[in-house]
Amino acid sequence: MTAKTGTDIELAAELIAAGKLVAFATETVYGLGADATNSAAVAQVFAVKHRPTFDPLIVHFDSVEHVRMTFRSFPEQANQLAERFWPGPLSIVLPRAECGFSDLVSAGLSTVAVRVPSHRMARDLIAKAGRPVAAPSANLFGRISPTTASHVVDQLGEKIDYILDGGPCTVGVESTVIRVSELSVELLRHGGITIEQLTSACRCDVIDVPKETDTNTRESRNTPMPSPGMTEQHYAPRTPLTLVDSIPERIPEGQVGLIALQPPDDSGAFSQVETLSNSGDPREAATNLFAALRRLDAATLDRIVAVRLPDEGLGRAINDRLNRAQHH
Ligand code: TXA
Ligand code: MG
């Protein structure tokens, strides 16, 4: 059975409330939603995605007020950032205390990541379902995140109950994940809110954890993975992908695809070229990233060459995804 795709928010909400799985559009990527308070439904999310149970889920709320009601001790620093960036592509890791969610949601951690999406349909769905919705990206574990309803159909259509079609995602990369303390904000995953935006909005240091704890230093310090989902290979097409600083003069043998911010001077040697933004706008590039990777992956190439963007603003999130799309 292939899941029905449509725009029936009432039906989607009823299904969530009944413990079923519904994929839904958010501004970042499509999520695979389940009632966060229902362990059987949450377990089904892990099963359908083939996701390891050590990788916790983000819980989605319809409003900042509902987050505050659920987490009575909402740290001041988190409050300030929530005021500034919610609804929007920011996930904040909070102590789980008595939040009432299934333990499976946070994979045994004492914390839980929460966010209020800005996509109107997503918030209507959560409000109508009358409960917070746990949702990872609606793709098979480790594969490319979906930014349209048909991407979800391709990977999960057979296994879920409904897909709430809210059109193509306008941000196109996942939310930024942060952990806050009184003294600092730790950025755990680059995403739709940039480190520059966070730095200008809070009065403390923003620590770029992925940069400071690359695999080597992490091993040498023997510290745990700050965010369990930051496995090195992720967002991966089936075709081997290599990330480079600039278009190579000699390209590898065989059928090679290129993914780059802007068109190359000479695209002749490549079998297929995907340009993320003709004008070089990283925002537009983020919106196009995952669909472009899917098109290249569908083109039966021997290799994909991806060119790194300038490492600033949304370029950081895009480079992070391309880096982890490499077959190590
Ligand atoms: O934009 C998004 O965040 C999308 C949409 C659907 O909201 N969701 C998403 O979920 O990307 P997922 O499951 O693909 O990625 C969640 C990330 C993982 O890297 C996970 O390890 C991290 O958030 N995470 C979740 N809970 C955490 C926690 N308590 N502490 C640290 N990291 C956490
Ligand atoms: Mg994901």
Side-chain angles (χ1 to χ4, degrees):
M1 183 209 69
T2 300
K4 239 174 98 192
T5 302
T7 55
D8 190 341
I9 299 178
E10 298 280 348
L11 171 64
E14 279 167 22
L15 288 167
I16 293 272
K20 307 283 187 195
L21 305 193
V22 172
F24 62 101
T26 82
E27 71 280 16
T28 57
V29 299
Y30 274 69
L32 177 58
D35 176 353
T37 64
N38 179 334
S39 287
V42 174
Q44 191 60 13
V45 169
F46 283 92
V48 158
K49 273 187 64 108
H50 303 292
R51 182 181 177 111
T53 48
F54 62 75
D55 191 0
L57 307 182
I58 295 171
V59 177
H60 299 68
F61 283 79
D62 66 335
S63 66
V64 184
E65 290 66 43
H66 278 150
V67 177
R68 282 208 196 93
M69 278 161 61
T70 308
F71 296 88
R72 295 216 189 85
S73 57
F74 198 44
E76 180 45 36
Q77 187 69 257
N79 199 27
Q80 213 178 321
L81 293 169
E83 289 284 332
R84 174 76 183 74
F85 296 112
W86 279 352
L90 181 70
S91 295
I92 305 181
V93 173
L94 296 170
R96 51 172 289 146
E98 294 130 39
C99 63
F101 306 153
S102 160
D103 285 344
L104 293 174
V105 164
S106 38
L109 300 176
S110 58
T111 55
V112 62
V114 298
R115 88 175 185 100
V116 180
S118 65
H119 199 300
R120 188 77 243 175
M121 238 177 172
R123 274 185 290 138
D124 284 351
L125 168 68
I126 301 161
K128 287 205 163 77
R131 60 205 76 209
V133 172
S137 50
N139 51 280
L140 293 170
F141 180 71
R143 302 277 297 283
I144 303 169
S145 297
T147 50
T148 66
S150 76
H151 292 164
V152 181
V153 174
D154 291 347
Q155 284 190 10
L156 301 178
E158 306 283 323
K159 300 174 176 171
I160 61 181
D161 299 291
Y162 192 68
I163 300 170
L164 189 59
D165 188 348
C169 301
T170 53
V171 174
V173 290
E174 296 81 353
S175 63
T176 300
V177 180
I178 60 168
R179 189 164 55 195
V180 295
S181 71
E182 273 171 39
L183 301 174
S184 68
V185 170
E186 292 174 296
L187 184 152
L188 304 181
R189 174 177 75 177
H190 287 282
I193 298 294
T194 65
I195 201 163
E196 291 87 346
Q197 286 176 291
L198 289 171
T199 305
S200 74
C202 66
R203 298 191 205 103
C204 63
D205 289 339
V206 180
I207 302 162
D208 184 345
V209 175
K211 190 169 159 197
E212 301 215 339
T213 53
D214 63 62
T215 315
N216 296 335
T217 50
R218 193 167 57 237
E219 272 169 11
S220 66
R221 288 191 205 146
N222 203 17
T223 52
M225 187 84 96
S227 184
M230 296 297 280
T231 45
E232 277 195 17
Q233 192 190 315
H234 218 119
Y235 310 101
R238 289 174 199 274
T239 317
L241 180 147
T242 312
L243 181 60
V244 297
D245 290 331
S246 58
I247 296 177
E249 282 181 8
R250 287 191 52 224
I251 69 160
E253 298 268 308
Q255 304 275 31
V256 180
L258 176 74
I259 183 166
L261 181 60
Q262 288 174 291
D265 294 337
D266 175 15
S267 62
F270 294 99
S271 303
Q272 187 167 331
V273 174
E274 290 289 345
T275 303
L276 297 176
S277 166
N278 280 326
S279 66
D281 174 10
R283 229 164 239 290
E284 188 185 7
T287 309
N288 292 326
L289 176 68
F290 290 139
L293 274 174
R294 277 169 191 265
R295 282 193 295 272
L296 286 172
D297 205 21
T300 55
L301 301 163
D302 297 308
R303 176 162 296 279
I304 299 168
V305 171
V307 184
R308 209 184 291 279
L309 272 69
D311 216 17
E312 59 191 27
L314 276 178
R316 284 204 182 86
I318 296 171
N319 290 340
D320 168 78
R321 304 305 184 268
L322 289 172
N323 182 35
R324 283 187 288 127
Q326 298 191 86
H327 288 229
H328 289 277

